[in-house]
Amino acid sequence: MYHSGSVTQQAAGSATGLLDPRGQGSEAILYQRCTWCGTAMYHRLLCPVCRGSELRTERAEGTGTVRHSTVVHRNTPAARNVSMIEMAEGFVVRGRVMGPPIGIHSGDRVRLSTAKDPVRGEPVFQLLDEPYRAWS
């Protein structure tokens, strides 16, 4: 079967399973949702639940919760954090949270700040709530 036009010109939300790099804004995370079971996932070729290949591309609203965060000192001039963020839509994405690496904890609410880190290509988030500070 032949298709007219380019696959990359199809709009986000199509069932091609491809991520649309253009998006509708520069600060967006695009993810896939399985058309068979409705599972949300990030950068997958097959659904991890039902192994379906019909994935629909959707746009995330940009809010999530830190599930795990660690401080990395390797291959970098300064310490940086690497966090696993569970997005409101139900998928998990690896990214960086702005702020002091020691001040980021599991359960912190975050919002997408920029679509990607220019060096590492990971999404960058910022804390929604003021971090806990001890009484002075």
Side-chain angles (χ1 to χ4, degrees):
M1 175 181 228
Y2 294 101
H3 298 284
S4 62
S6 173
V7 173
T8 58
Q9 292 176 351
Q10 294 179 0
S14 65
T16 63
L18 299 175
L19 293 179
D20 183 7
R22 295 171 289 151
Q24 294 162 345
S26 61
E27 296 180 3
I29 291 183
L30 299 179
Y31 67 99
Q32 298 108 335
R33 186 171 299 277
C34 179
T35 57
W36 289 97
C37 68
T39 301
M41 66 213 82
Y42 185 68
H43 285 282
R44 299 293 294 258
L45 296 175
L46 297 174
C47 175
V49 175
C50 71
R51 300 291 182 216
S53 62
E54 293 183 27
L55 306 177
R56 180 178 66 243
T57 302
E58 296 181 4
R59 184 176 182 192
E61 72 177 51
T63 59
T65 304
V66 175
R67 287 295 164 222
H68 178 75
S69 185
T70 188
V71 178
V72 177
H73 298 277
R74 180 183 49 189
N75 298 331
T76 181
R80 64 181 175 89
N81 69 38
V82 175
S83 301
M84 298 302 288
I85 311 294
E86 183 177 348
M87 301 301 288
E89 292 78 12
F91 66 95
V92 177
V93 62
R94 177 183 156 171
R96 183 171 61 89
V97 179
M98 292 189 301
I102 195 100
I104 299 161
H105 305 287
S106 296
D108 288 345
R109 295 182 322 149
V110 294
R111 176 176 301 282
L112 183 66
S113 176
T114 57
K116 287 191 178 182
D117 182 353
V119 176
R120 302 203 182 273
E122 297 176 337
V124 178
F125 297 88
Q126 63 185 4
L127 291 171
L128 282 177
D129 301 324
E130 184 71 23
Y132 171 75
R133 296 181 191 198
W135 292 349
S136 45

